[in-house]
């Protein structure tokens, strides 16, 4: 039966070859069998600009490009890789989608997004989100010399290691009313998102009818994949 894959919150970084290996194996062996592959944000732990050409970033792009020869690949920005632009997307064979998009999944209109826009109780984060998605801030950041952006990213990486000692970041969950609002705005009964690292299938009500919200898992300890066909959907794991 034809099916589609969704992944999010892979948080790729050169520090975590186990994550990279798991994704590469998935892209090579499994993704080509799908009708489409959707990457719903935070593919990378950090993205400092398409001009940051590294062997690592090139290898990831090449792996997605290979998939795209048989299976269309779509990408929605996350809060960590919001600075990915058309240049890298083209290199990776990905189609960039707006931050919220409605797609037809075997006859079911489905709203997809990274999910950070639903976490409205996190005031500090929403402030950052507004700035990071503005027209001016990314331009300002990306206009800084690459060497400087690399240094800032490296310092940030060291700092987060010190602060968290390898712990997962604690992210606030979605605001339930925001979910209903979004589903009613787009008039859909199904939504798929990531970001919260709380993989689950939630039943709720929207538009006065039963609705489903599917939350994708992260890739910190295992690969997390959503497989959807016309008749079923399952959240699956891939071991490192
Ligand atoms: Mn996120």
């Amino acid at each position: 039966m034809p099916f589609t894959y969704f992944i999010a919150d892979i948080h790729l970084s050169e520090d975590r070859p186990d994550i990279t290996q798991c994704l590469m194996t998935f892209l090579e062996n499994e993704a080509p069998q799908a009708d489409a592959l959707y990457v719903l944000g935070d593919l990378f732990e950090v993205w400092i600009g398409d001009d940051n050409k590294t062997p690592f970033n090139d290898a990831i792009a090449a792996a997605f490009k290979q998939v795209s020869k048989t299976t269309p690949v779509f990408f929605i920005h996350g809060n960590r890789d919001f600075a990915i632009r058309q240049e890298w997307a083209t290199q990776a064979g990905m189609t960039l989608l707006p931050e919220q998009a409605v797609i037809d999944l075997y006859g079911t209109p489905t709203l997809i997004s990274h999910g950070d826009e639903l976490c409205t109780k996190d005031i500090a984060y929403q402030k950052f989100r507004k700035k990071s998605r503005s027209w001016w801030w990314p331009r300002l950041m990306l206009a800084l010399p690459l060497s400087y952006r690399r240094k800032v990213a490296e310092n940030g990486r060291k700092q987060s290691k010190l602060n968290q000692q390898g712990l997962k970041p604690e992210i606030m969950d979605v605001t339930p009313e925001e979910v209903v609002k979004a589903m009613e705005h787009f008039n859909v009964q199904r939504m798929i998102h990531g970001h919260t690292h709380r993989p689950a299938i939630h039943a709720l009500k929207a538009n006065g009818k039963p609705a489903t919200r599917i939350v994708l898992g992260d890739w910190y300890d295992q690969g997390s994949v959503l497989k959807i066909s016309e008749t079923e959907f399952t959240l699956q794991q891939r071991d490192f």
Side-chain angles (χ1 to χ4, degrees):
M1 189 180 286
F3 64 90
T4 296
Y5 277 136
F6 291 81
I7 56 174
D9 301 295
I10 301 99
H11 293 270
L12 290 171
S13 77
E14 298 197 39
D15 295 348
R16 290 290 306 268
D18 49 350
I19 299 176
T20 306
Q21 189 51 54
C22 189
L23 179 71
M24 290 301 208
T25 304
F26 172 75
L27 293 180
E28 197 176 322
N29 300 334
E30 299 194 72
Q33 268 104 64
D35 290 332
L37 170 63
Y38 288 84
V39 183
L40 302 188
D42 287 359
L43 172 59
F44 291 95
E45 178 76 3
V46 64
W47 190 259
I48 61 171
D50 291 11
D51 56 342
N52 182 34
K53 299 230 173 276
T54 64
F56 181 76
N57 292 347
D58 284 346
I60 303 300
F64 277 103
K65 183 81 180 178
Q66 186 61 34
V67 174
S68 74
K69 288 177 183 167
T70 50
T71 299
V73 182
F74 300 93
F75 180 79
I76 291 183
H77 293 97
N79 52 298
R80 291 173 169 275
D81 49 18
F82 59 86
I84 287 179
R85 293 290 177 266
Q86 190 58 53
E87 183 184 339
W88 193 79
T90 301
Q91 189 190 341
M94 291 175 172
T95 301
L96 295 177
L97 296 178
E99 56 186 53
Q100 291 180 312
V102 176
I103 58 169
D104 177 85
L105 269 178
Y106 309 105
T108 304
T110 303
L111 173 61
I112 57 174
S113 75
H114 180 55
D116 55 322
E117 78 281 5
L118 304 167
C119 303
T120 51
K121 296 265 155 63
D122 195 341
I123 306 295
Y125 171 68
Q126 289 302 328
K127 261 190 180 167
F128 168 76
R129 177 183 150 79
K130 204 171 164 203
K131 187 171 76 171
S132 70
R133 307 289 179 130
S134 68
W135 66 269
W136 59 273
W137 194 75
R139 276 199 201 180
L140 209 65
M141 291 298 114
L142 294 172
L144 295 167
L146 179 58
S147 57
Y148 177 79
R149 280 177 277 143
R150 279 185 173 153
K151 203 177 281 173
V152 171
E154 176 65 13
N155 289 343
R157 195 179 62 82
K158 280 188 195 146
Q159 200 54 45
S160 76
K161 263 198 174 160
L162 279 179
N163 291 345
Q164 303 165 0
Q165 288 162 344
L167 293 178
K168 292 184 189 182
E170 193 45 56
I171 297 165
M172 254 182 227
D173 205 352
V174 299
T175 310
E177 305 87 77
E178 292 298 323
V179 172
V180 175
K181 224 200 267 178
M183 292 179 93
E184 296 190 340
H185 176 77
F186 288 99
N187 194 25
V188 296
Q189 301 309 118
R190 186 158 73 190
M191 170 165 204
I192 301 170
H193 69 82
H195 180 65
T196 63
H197 302 187
R198 291 171 170 84
I201 296 171
H202 299 275
L204 66 147
K205 239 180 169 181
N207 303 297
K209 289 178 280 186
T212 308
R213 177 171 67 99
I214 306 172
V215 187
L216 306 174
D218 64 65
W219 286 56
Y220 278 106
D221 303 315
Q222 73 288 305
S224 301
V225 175
L226 168 66
K227 185 177 178 179
I228 289 200
S229 70
E230 190 182 340
T231 54
E232 58 181 6
F233 42 88
T234 49
L235 287 167
Q236 306 176 345
Q237 300 199 330
R238 301 290 181 269
D239 291 338
F240 281 176

